[in-house]
Structures are given as C-alpha cells and as structure tokens.
Amino acid sequence: MNSLLDIVLLVNSPRRTVTKKKCEHTVNTPADQFGGRASLTRRISDDIRRRILAKEWAPGEKIHSESELSTTYKVSRVTVRTALKTLEYQGLVDIRHGSGTYVNNFGRSIPTGLNELRSMSETISELGYEPGMEYKVATIRPATETEIDKLRLDNPDPVLYLERAVLADGKAVAFSYDTINISSLPEEVVEEMKQGSVLASLDTINSRPIRALAEVDAVISKEIGWGDERPANDLFLLLQQVHYAGDGEPLMYSKTYFMEGRFQFLILRTR
C-alpha cells in the first residue's frame, strides 16, 4: 500500500437508513417541538440541513433570511446565526456577508464534512439514496498488536472485527474495516453490530462515540475491497479513525476506504 497524502483531524459528534423519494417542504415548526438531547442550535441546524438535502432550496439558491428563520423556529437571530455557521462548517452553505446564505452545489457525489462525526448510512439516506451494508466478515477474534495499541487494551482481548462494503442504491461507495472493543457491551448489541449500523447499535445503550481522531491518506492498494465495483486504478481515500466515548476511552478503530468520485468530503478553510 502506498500512502500519497496524510492529514490529521479531530472529529466531533453532533451527539444525537431510504428509497429515493419525493421532496417534502417543511412546515414552520417551533424549536421547542424538536425532540432529542442535542442543543437547540444543533437541532435547528439539523432541521435546516434536512431541508437543504430534501431540495427545499436548489444549489446556488438563497435560503430564508436569519429574521425569517428566527420567526420560523421561534428563537433568537443569534441562535439561527450559530446554526447556519455550523452548516457552513459542514460545507452545505456559503454565508455571504451583506447578501445572505446560499446552498452550495456539491454535485452528484455524496457530501459530508470531515469535521463531523456522522453515520455514513445517515448521510446517504438524507440525500435520498437507499443506504446499505454488504458484509464480507463479521467475527469475534483476539485483537492484533495494532488494535491493542489503538484501543488501549491490556491483552489481546476479544474484539468484533467487521469488513463491509458501504452501499448507496445498491452500489458500493466505500469499503470499511472496523474493530470494536466489546469488553463492556451487551451480547445483544454485539449481535446487532454484525448485521446493522455500529453507531445505531451503540445509540441503543447511549454509548455512541462523541469524538474521533482521524487521519486521511490517499492510498493505492490491490488488497482493498472486493467485487466488480472495486476501482480499476486501485486508488482510495482512507479515513482512519479511533472513536472515543465521553470518558475518553476508545470504542472503535476503523479504516474506511472511499472510492474516487463517489463520496465528497468538504473542508471549510478560512483566514
């Protein structure tokens, strides 16, 4: 495997899977009607994000003003401004001072912010694609030396090891190799992870990671992936991450190889 590029990132979680469908416009909803444990700002940014991905506003189109959105959600303009800033960090909007907020055009690929810790299935579903996972390996085995180091294990304890193809409308967009520390997880949650979303399974016991330390590399390898949709040029963008719980303990070590042109990562750079 040849490494072409290396970037280190700290990814934070917002703390909080469909056939292509017709877009539905949002009815004005008071912010206090939103459920969940996320902050008010986060819940508003998530709802505006949902409206953008549902094509309520076209790429390049100006969305509602801060004043209109504050009336819609019955919150202050400061709260709306902070929510819009979150969406700008995610690469979904462009805030033009003195003009307004505009939806970015991210093309046909699946966009996600590198600074955001979200389930790939969630992102794929939000864009109107049917998310899916094709499992090649799902087994419990002793941890390797690398996994012991990454997950801070004392011994080669049993871990859950997964090899999966990430699908959007049945087409592979990435290959994921994941190792989960299962020492404190209920057996039924471990079994769920063998056939569904790892993060969604952790959500059921309130153990979803809240941050991850990530490294990004461009790699060329004939050993990654499988099947007819594997890229002929052997080129992948590797997102290698250690996911951490709120107490700082590592929960999962993952290596996800994204195929060129099928997943778009967005990074906001400012002066």
Side-chain angles (χ1 to χ4, degrees), residues 72-103:
T72 296
Y73 293 108
K74 294 180 170 55
V75 297
S76 70
R77 292 182 62 173
V78 172
T79 300
V80 169
R81 190 175 303 126
T82 305
L84 292 176
K85 205 68 177 175
T86 298
L87 296 175
E88 186 179 39
Y89 289 147
Q90 294 172 1
L92 288 176
V93 301
D94 177 23
I95 299 176
R96 304 174 191 174
H97 297 291
S99 177
T101 302
Y102 296 79
V103 177

mmCIF file of all heavy atoms in Angstrom, residues 72-103:
data_model
loop_
_atom_site.group_PDB
_atom_site.id
_atom_site.type_symbol
_atom_site.label_atom_id
_atom_site.label_comp_id
_atom_site.label_asym_id
_atom_site.label_seq_id
_atom_site.Cartn_x
_atom_site.Cartn_y
_atom_site.Cartn_z
ATOM 1 N N THR A 72 -39.564 31.404 12.089
ATOM 2 C CA THR A 72 -39.987 30.020 11.857
ATOM 3 C C THR A 72 -39.761 29.147 13.084
ATOM 4 O O THR A 72 -40.639 28.403 13.514
ATOM 5 C CB THR A 72 -39.210 29.414 10.667
ATOM 6 O OG1 THR A 72 -39.530 30.120 9.490
ATOM 7 C CG2 THR A 72 -39.543 27.925 10.487
ATOM 8 N N TYR A 73 -38.564 29.254 13.667
ATOM 9 C CA TYR A 73 -38.192 28.367 14.770
ATOM 10 C C TYR A 73 -38.455 28.975 16.149
ATOM 11 O O TYR A 73 -38.224 28.321 17.164
ATOM 12 C CB TYR A 73 -36.713 27.988 14.640
ATOM 13 C CG TYR A 73 -36.433 27.126 13.426
ATOM 14 C CD1 TYR A 73 -35.751 27.639 12.325
ATOM 15 C CD2 TYR A 73 -36.882 25.812 13.363
ATOM 16 C CE1 TYR A 73 -35.501 26.860 11.211
ATOM 17 C CE2 TYR A 73 -36.639 25.016 12.258
ATOM 18 C CZ TYR A 73 -35.950 25.554 11.175
ATOM 19 O OH TYR A 73 -35.715 24.775 10.070
ATOM 20 N N LYS A 74 -38.906 30.266 16.150
ATOM 21 C CA LYS A 74 -39.219 30.939 17.401
ATOM 22 C C LYS A 74 -38.014 30.974 18.349
ATOM 23 O O LYS A 74 -38.107 30.633 19.537
ATOM 24 C CB LYS A 74 -40.434 30.292 18.074
ATOM 25 C CG LYS A 74 -41.721 30.475 17.271
ATOM 26 C CD LYS A 74 -42.910 29.818 17.959
ATOM 27 C CE LYS A 74 -44.215 30.194 17.290
ATOM 28 N NZ LYS A 74 -44.281 29.923 15.850
ATOM 29 N N VAL A 75 -36.883 31.384 17.779
ATOM 30 C CA VAL A 75 -35.645 31.534 18.544
ATOM 31 C C VAL A 75 -35.003 32.858 18.147
ATOM 32 O O VAL A 75 -35.450 33.537 17.222
ATOM 33 C CB VAL A 75 -34.655 30.378 18.277
ATOM 34 C CG1 VAL A 75 -35.235 29.044 18.727
ATOM 35 C CG2 VAL A 75 -34.281 30.314 16.802
ATOM 36 N N SER A 76 -33.937 33.232 18.834
ATOM 37 C CA SER A 76 -33.254 34.479 18.534
ATOM 38 C C SER A 76 -32.450 34.359 17.245
ATOM 39 O O SER A 76 -32.105 33.260 16.795
ATOM 40 C CB SER A 76 -32.313 34.854 19.679
ATOM 41 O OG SER A 76 -31.212 33.963 19.731
ATOM 42 N N ARG A 77 -32.124 35.511 16.655
ATOM 43 C CA ARG A 77 -31.304 35.521 15.446
ATOM 44 C C ARG A 77 -29.897 35.021 15.744
ATOM 45 O O ARG A 77 -29.240 34.447 14.872
ATOM 46 C CB ARG A 77 -31.262 36.929 14.850
ATOM 47 C CG ARG A 77 -32.610 37.371 14.284
ATOM 48 C CD ARG A 77 -32.551 38.750 13.662
ATOM 49 N NE ARG A 77 -31.625 38.808 12.529
ATOM 50 C CZ ARG A 77 -31.494 39.867 11.735
ATOM 51 N NH1 ARG A 77 -32.228 40.965 11.961
ATOM 52 N NH2 ARG A 77 -30.640 39.852 10.733
ATOM 53 N N VAL A 78 -29.425 35.214 16.967
ATOM 54 C CA VAL A 78 -28.102 34.712 17.337
ATOM 55 C C VAL A 78 -28.067 33.191 17.251
ATOM 56 O O VAL A 78 -27.107 32.598 16.751
ATOM 57 C CB VAL A 78 -27.723 35.177 18.760
ATOM 58 C CG1 VAL A 78 -26.434 34.500 19.225
ATOM 59 C CG2 VAL A 78 -27.563 36.690 18.799
ATOM 60 N N THR A 79 -29.139 32.540 17.723
ATOM 61 C CA THR A 79 -29.217 31.081 17.654
ATOM 62 C C THR A 79 -29.237 30.603 16.205
ATOM 63 O O THR A 79 -28.544 29.647 15.836
ATOM 64 C CB THR A 79 -30.476 30.575 18.391
ATOM 65 O OG1 THR A 79 -30.418 30.975 19.753
ATOM 66 C CG2 THR A 79 -30.578 29.054 18.324
ATOM 67 N N VAL A 80 -30.014 31.288 15.364
ATOM 68 C CA VAL A 80 -30.074 30.942 13.940
ATOM 69 C C VAL A 80 -28.709 31.151 13.291
ATOM 70 O O VAL A 80 -28.241 30.311 12.497
ATOM 71 C CB VAL A 80 -31.146 31.776 13.224
ATOM 72 C CG1 VAL A 80 -31.022 31.626 11.706
ATOM 73 C CG2 VAL A 80 -32.537 31.368 13.682
ATOM 74 N N ARG A 81 -28.050 32.266 13.616
ATOM 75 C CA ARG A 81 -26.744 32.567 13.023
ATOM 76 C C ARG A 81 -25.735 31.476 13.368
ATOM 77 O O ARG A 81 -24.941 31.047 12.523
ATOM 78 C CB ARG A 81 -26.260 33.926 13.507
ATOM 79 C CG ARG A 81 -25.030 34.458 12.787
ATOM 80 C CD ARG A 81 -24.693 35.869 13.245
ATOM 81 N NE ARG A 81 -25.826 36.763 13.034
ATOM 82 C CZ ARG A 81 -26.362 37.514 13.976
ATOM 83 N NH1 ARG A 81 -25.872 37.477 15.214
ATOM 84 N NH2 ARG A 81 -27.374 38.312 13.712
ATOM 85 N N THR A 82 -25.763 31.012 14.622
ATOM 86 C CA THR A 82 -24.852 29.946 15.041
ATOM 87 C C THR A 82 -25.164 28.639 14.315
ATOM 88 O O THR A 82 -24.258 27.902 13.913
ATOM 89 C CB THR A 82 -24.938 29.731 16.567
ATOM 90 O OG1 THR A 82 -24.687 30.973 17.230
ATOM 91 C CG2 THR A 82 -23.930 28.696 17.032
ATOM 92 N N ALA A 83 -26.448 28.343 14.133
ATOM 93 C CA ALA A 83 -26.854 27.125 13.413
ATOM 94 C C ALA A 83 -26.379 27.176 11.962
ATOM 95 O O ALA A 83 -25.895 26.181 11.411
ATOM 96 C CB ALA A 83 -28.369 26.966 13.470
ATOM 97 N N LEU A 84 -26.510 28.337 11.324
ATOM 98 C CA LEU A 84 -26.063 28.488 9.934
ATOM 99 C C LEU A 84 -24.546 28.355 9.835
ATOM 100 O O LEU A 84 -24.021 27.809 8.853
ATOM 101 C CB LEU A 84 -26.517 29.834 9.374
ATOM 102 C CG LEU A 84 -28.026 30.007 9.173
ATOM 103 C CD1 LEU A 84 -28.344 31.421 8.709
ATOM 104 C CD2 LEU A 84 -28.564 28.988 8.173
ATOM 105 N N LYS A 85 -23.840 28.840 10.856
ATOM 106 C CA LYS A 85 -22.380 28.711 10.863
ATOM 107 C C LYS A 85 -21.984 27.237 10.915
ATOM 108 O O LYS A 85 -21.007 26.824 10.283
ATOM 109 C CB LYS A 85 -21.814 29.452 12.074
ATOM 110 C CG LYS A 85 -20.372 29.898 11.898
ATOM 111 C CD LYS A 85 -20.262 30.973 10.841
ATOM 112 C CE LYS A 85 -18.832 31.484 10.713
ATOM 113 N NZ LYS A 85 -18.700 32.452 9.595
ATOM 114 N N THR A 86 -22.750 26.445 11.665
ATOM 115 C CA THR A 86 -22.496 25.009 11.712
ATOM 116 C C THR A 86 -22.632 24.392 10.325
ATOM 117 O O THR A 86 -21.806 23.571 9.910
ATOM 118 C CB THR A 86 -23.481 24.321 12.682
ATOM 119 O OG1 THR A 86 -23.286 24.822 13.998
ATOM 120 C CG2 THR A 86 -23.289 22.806 12.689
ATOM 121 N N LEU A 87 -23.664 24.784 9.590
ATOM 122 C CA LEU A 87 -23.872 24.265 8.238
ATOM 123 C C LEU A 87 -22.771 24.727 7.299
ATOM 124 O O LEU A 87 -22.394 24.008 6.362
ATOM 125 C CB LEU A 87 -25.238 24.712 7.715
ATOM 126 C CG LEU A 87 -26.447 24.175 8.495
ATOM 127 C CD1 LEU A 87 -27.731 24.794 7.961
ATOM 128 C CD2 LEU A 87 -26.513 22.660 8.419
ATOM 129 N N GLU A 88 -22.240 25.922 7.521
ATOM 130 C CA GLU A 88 -21.124 26.391 6.702
ATOM 131 C C GLU A 88 -19.892 25.541 6.958
ATOM 132 O O GLU A 88 -19.164 25.181 6.027
ATOM 133 C CB GLU A 88 -20.823 27.857 7.002
ATOM 134 C CG GLU A 88 -19.761 28.449 6.079
ATOM 135 C CD GLU A 88 -19.481 29.907 6.372
ATOM 136 O OE1 GLU A 88 -19.446 30.284 7.560
ATOM 137 O OE2 GLU A 88 -19.275 30.674 5.401
ATOM 138 N N TYR A 89 -19.648 25.192 8.232
ATOM 139 C CA TYR A 89 -18.520 24.313 8.560
ATOM 140 C C TYR A 89 -18.671 22.956 7.887
ATOM 141 O O TYR A 89 -17.690 22.314 7.512
ATOM 142 C CB TYR A 89 -18.413 24.121 10.074
ATOM 143 C CG TYR A 89 -17.939 25.339 10.827
ATOM 144 C CD1 TYR A 89 -18.395 25.603 12.115
ATOM 145 C CD2 TYR A 89 -17.042 26.238 10.263
ATOM 146 C CE1 TYR A 89 -17.970 26.731 12.812
ATOM 147 C CE2 TYR A 89 -16.619 27.362 10.947
ATOM 148 C CZ TYR A 89 -17.086 27.604 12.218
ATOM 149 O OH TYR A 89 -16.664 28.708 12.902
ATOM 150 N N GLN A 90 -19.919 22.515 7.734
ATOM 151 C CA GLN A 90 -20.180 21.226 7.083
ATOM 152 C C GLN A 90 -20.076 21.322 5.571
ATOM 153 O O GLN A 90 -20.125 20.301 4.881
ATOM 154 C CB GLN A 90 -21.583 20.730 7.465
ATOM 155 C CG GLN A 90 -21.726 20.390 8.937
ATOM 156 C CD GLN A 90 -23.160 20.082 9.333
ATOM 157 O OE1 GLN A 90 -24.066 20.099 8.498
ATOM 158 N NE2 GLN A 90 -23.385 19.802 10.601
ATOM 159 N N GLY A 91 -19.954 22.531 5.043
ATOM 160 C CA GLY A 91 -19.812 22.716 3.603
ATOM 161 C C GLY A 91 -21.114 22.776 2.843
ATOM 162 O O GLY A 91 -21.112 22.781 1.618
ATOM 163 N N LEU A 92 -22.246 22.826 3.563
ATOM 164 C CA LEU A 92 -23.539 22.809 2.888
ATOM 165 C C LEU A 92 -23.982 24.185 2.408
ATOM 166 O O LEU A 92 -24.753 24.290 1.455
ATOM 167 C CB LEU A 92 -24.612 22.224 3.819
ATOM 168 C CG LEU A 92 -24.532 20.723 4.072
ATOM 169 C CD1 LEU A 92 -25.594 20.314 5.068
ATOM 170 C CD2 LEU A 92 -24.698 19.942 2.784
ATOM 171 N N VAL A 93 -23.523 25.243 3.075
ATOM 172 C CA VAL A 93 -23.957 26.588 2.695
ATOM 173 C C VAL A 93 -22.760 27.527 2.616
ATOM 174 O O VAL A 93 -21.692 27.262 3.173
ATOM 175 C CB VAL A 93 -25.002 27.166 3.685
ATOM 176 C CG1 VAL A 93 -26.236 26.286 3.760
ATOM 177 C CG2 VAL A 93 -24.381 27.371 5.070
ATOM 178 N N ASP A 94 -22.980 28.637 1.927
ATOM 179 C CA ASP A 94 -21.987 29.699 1.823
ATOM 180 C C ASP A 94 -22.622 30.969 2.386
ATOM 181 O O ASP A 94 -23.620 31.463 1.848
ATOM 182 C CB ASP A 94 -21.596 29.903 0.349
ATOM 183 C CG ASP A 94 -20.609 31.047 0.169
ATOM 184 O OD1 ASP A 94 -19.914 31.392 1.141
ATOM 185 O OD2 ASP A 94 -20.537 31.594 -0.954
ATOM 186 N N ILE A 95 -22.080 31.475 3.491
ATOM 187 C CA ILE A 95 -22.602 32.693 4.106
ATOM 188 C C ILE A 95 -21.883 33.894 3.502
ATOM 189 O O ILE A 95 -20.659 34.028 3.646
ATOM 190 C CB ILE A 95 -22.421 32.670 5.637
ATOM 191 C CG1 ILE A 95 -23.194 31.489 6.248
ATOM 192 C CG2 ILE A 95 -22.899 33.978 6.255
ATOM 193 C CD1 ILE A 95 -22.990 31.327 7.735
ATOM 194 N N ARG A 96 -22.631 34.739 2.803
ATOM 195 C CA ARG A 96 -22.056 35.917 2.154
ATOM 196 C C ARG A 96 -22.517 37.149 2.916
ATOM 197 O O ARG A 96 -23.706 37.501 2.879
ATOM 198 C CB ARG A 96 -22.493 35.990 0.684
ATOM 199 C CG ARG A 96 -22.138 34.723 -0.102
ATOM 200 C CD ARG A 96 -22.709 34.763 -1.507
ATOM 201 N NE ARG A 96 -22.591 33.458 -2.154
ATOM 202 C CZ ARG A 96 -23.115 33.162 -3.346
ATOM 203 N NH1 ARG A 96 -23.799 34.105 -4.013
ATOM 204 N NH2 ARG A 96 -22.969 31.958 -3.860
ATOM 205 N N HIS A 97 -21.604 37.778 3.601
ATOM 206 C CA HIS A 97 -21.938 38.917 4.446
ATOM 207 C C HIS A 97 -22.537 40.047 3.610
ATOM 208 O O HIS A 97 -22.004 40.432 2.569
ATOM 209 C CB HIS A 97 -20.705 39.397 5.203
ATOM 210 C CG HIS A 97 -20.160 38.380 6.151
ATOM 211 N ND1 HIS A 97 -20.817 38.005 7.306
ATOM 212 C CD2 HIS A 97 -19.031 37.622 6.105
ATOM 213 C CE1 HIS A 97 -20.118 37.088 7.940
ATOM 214 N NE2 HIS A 97 -19.026 36.829 7.232
ATOM 215 N N GLY A 98 -23.688 40.550 4.076
ATOM 216 C CA GLY A 98 -24.375 41.612 3.367
ATOM 217 C C GLY A 98 -25.288 41.119 2.275
ATOM 218 O O GLY A 98 -26.022 41.910 1.656
ATOM 219 N N SER A 99 -25.269 39.798 1.999
ATOM 220 C CA SER A 99 -26.103 39.240 0.931
ATOM 221 C C SER A 99 -27.043 38.160 1.432
ATOM 222 O O SER A 99 -28.225 38.151 1.105
ATOM 223 C CB SER A 99 -25.213 38.677 -0.183
ATOM 224 O OG SER A 99 -25.990 38.077 -1.199
ATOM 225 N N GLY A 100 -26.520 37.208 2.216
ATOM 226 C CA GLY A 100 -27.359 36.128 2.716
ATOM 227 C C GLY A 100 -26.635 34.797 2.721
ATOM 228 O O GLY A 100 -25.410 34.727 2.558
ATOM 229 N N THR A 101 -27.379 33.718 2.889
ATOM 230 C CA THR A 101 -26.831 32.363 2.955
ATOM 231 C C THR A 101 -27.317 31.572 1.748
ATOM 232 O O THR A 101 -28.514 31.517 1.468
ATOM 233 C CB THR A 101 -27.272 31.662 4.255
ATOM 234 O OG1 THR A 101 -26.826 32.437 5.374
ATOM 235 C CG2 THR A 101 -26.683 30.263 4.350
ATOM 236 N N TYR A 102 -26.378 30.944 1.037
ATOM 237 C CA TYR A 102 -26.682 30.243 -0.207
ATOM 238 C C TYR A 102 -26.301 28.772 -0.098
ATOM 239 O O TYR A 102 -25.298 28.420 0.536
ATOM 240 C CB TYR A 102 -25.927 30.874 -1.376
ATOM 241 C CG TYR A 102 -26.341 32.310 -1.654
ATOM 242 C CD1 TYR A 102 -25.856 33.357 -0.877
ATOM 243 C CD2 TYR A 102 -27.229 32.615 -2.686
ATOM 244 C CE1 TYR A 102 -26.237 34.677 -1.118
ATOM 245 C CE2 TYR A 102 -27.619 33.929 -2.942
ATOM 246 C CZ TYR A 102 -27.110 34.944 -2.144
ATOM 247 O OH TYR A 102 -27.496 36.243 -2.383
ATOM 248 N N VAL A 103 -27.091 27.912 -0.761
ATOM 249 C CA VAL A 103 -26.826 26.477 -0.764
ATOM 250 C C VAL A 103 -25.671 26.185 -1.714
ATOM 251 O O VAL A 103 -25.668 26.640 -2.859
ATOM 252 C CB VAL A 103 -28.077 25.687 -1.205
ATOM 253 C CG1 VAL A 103 -27.765 24.191 -1.281
ATOM 254 C CG2 VAL A 103 -29.232 25.945 -0.243
#
